[in-house]
Amino acid sequence: MLNENTIAIIKSTVPVLEVHGTAITKRFYQLLFASHPELMNVFNHANQRQGKQQTALANTVYAAALYIDKLETILPAVKQIAHKHRSLGITADQYPIVGQNLLQAIKEVLGDAATDEILNAWAEAYGVIANVFISVEAEMYKEAEEQQGGWAGYRAFRIERKVQESHVITSFYLVPEDGGAIAAFEPGQYVSVKMSIPDQKNTHIRQYSLSDAPGKPYYRISVKREDSQPGKDAGVVSVYLHEQVKEGDVLWLSAPAGDFTLDLKETRPVVLISGGVGLTPMVSMLNTLVDTNSDRPITFIHAAQNGQLHALKQQVEEKIGQAAQAKAYWCYAQPTEQDAGTYHKEGYVDLPWLQEVIPSKDAVYYFCGPTPFMAHINRQLLEWGVPAADIHYEFFGPKGSLDEAEKEPVA
């Protein structure tokens, strides 16, 4: 436990972290990769280049300082990050390395303002925070390995089927190369895929939501092809999966992880809203509800540019048809002539339309998609008076801010 003096010092740095947090974390990653280049095999290079990882870490450090005397307040955020760490294979012996470079970054960015007293307080506080993460992650590693069909690290899965779902999304049906059982998962969770790509210096790891219900003899991921550019990391993995990987090839997967999950104990109506490839965890949730004969009313809403970019449409419609209490609605921003009669709304999802197609506001809401889309949906639901406790969403990649995303265009 931290003493009162250390807590007071840490709290005194909160205003500084609010201003300089991202500069500190940017410098931190520079120092980290310079001293331990092997860690470039763990982190998503595209998120680094785009600044997403630096911003996410800055927000975490800020929250830790703000609630240093009440760390239980940030436990949900700790668990969310811990799921990512367990999925990536972050180990306890890497935490001292992180601490050393984080303190060095604080010292360099703040200069004379980073007194010995402040640095010593942060060193002590970091030790406490790191131990929280290590403890939570140790339990997750144990559960992932010891559950039926579970495993440690990465396991080889063979691509049994590769199916093009739209012009930009392809599904991969994955079965264990060793022929053994596979771990169950909660609808909404993801797996990490580790890939060594020719002509790429480092290993790449990406998380992909599982897009079918648990209990099948396979895992399914549905991957959107992202545009790649020479010298850029964004799209490297998805393009390789789409263009080079074929049926019979092997992918290396970590056990399922993630805290964005469908509450199967809930009995109220459920509303699933997605944009673009954000439908993947939503389809997993829908399939689970129908396959388990849930009597909960289900409203499934998906937004896409047009029918050519609308993946898994037929599968969702077939699944909806198996449940009398389920309805699906499509919203196309820019429908083509071929889409005539195949969608329910042109333009963007808005509150009047949501109020029209959702039978009752008293429901549990899950949504996923591009961050500006999620910010828009979140604002619509809050304006309607939906309690924040009934609203659940998932960021693809490092956790961002829906408030900041409000400034970006929805499409």
Side-chain angles (χ1 to χ4, degrees), residues 272-295:
L272 308 174
I273 307 175
S274 56
V277 76
L279 91 167
T280 51
M282 303 294 101
V283 171
S284 178
M285 293 180 183
L286 170 68
N287 290 357
T288 300
L289 288 165
V290 176
D291 290 352
T292 57
N293 298 313
S294 171
D295 59 1

Side-chain angles (χ1 to χ4, degrees), residues 303-306 331-335 343 345-348 411:
Q305 285 295 103
N306 53 56
C331 179
Y332 289 172
Q334 297 176 335
Y343 60 95
K345 185 182 190 304
E346 181 175 348
Y348 300 118

Side-chain angles (χ1 to χ4, degrees), residues 1-2 6-7 9-10 13 61 68 95-96 98-104 106-107 114-131:
M1 296 294 293
L2 299 173
T6 300
I7 290 173
I9 294 172
I10 295 299
T13 65
V61 173
I68 192 65
Y95 275 90
V98 169
Q100 178 184 355
N101 286 280
L102 182 59
L103 289 174
Q104 181 63 31
I106 292 174
K107 183 177 181 179
T115 64
D116 289 343
E117 186 180 43
I118 287 176
L119 291 174
N120 290 336
W122 262 107
E124 186 179 353
Y126 176 81
V128 171
I129 297 168
N131 284 336

Side-chain angles (χ1 to χ4, degrees), residues 9 25 71 94 145 154 199 205 207 242 245 261 263 276 290 293 309 319 336 360-361 376 383 396 399 409:
I9 294 172
T25 55
L71 287 178
Q94 292 170 334
E145 183 175 1
Y154 287 84
D199 300 324
I205 302 176
Q207 284 86 37
H242 275 247
V245 171
T261 57
D263 184 355
V290 176
N293 298 313
L309 301 179
K319 189 62 68 173
T336 65
S360 171
K361 180 177 70 175
H376 175 73
E383 286 183 5
F396 285 153
K399 185 176 181 180

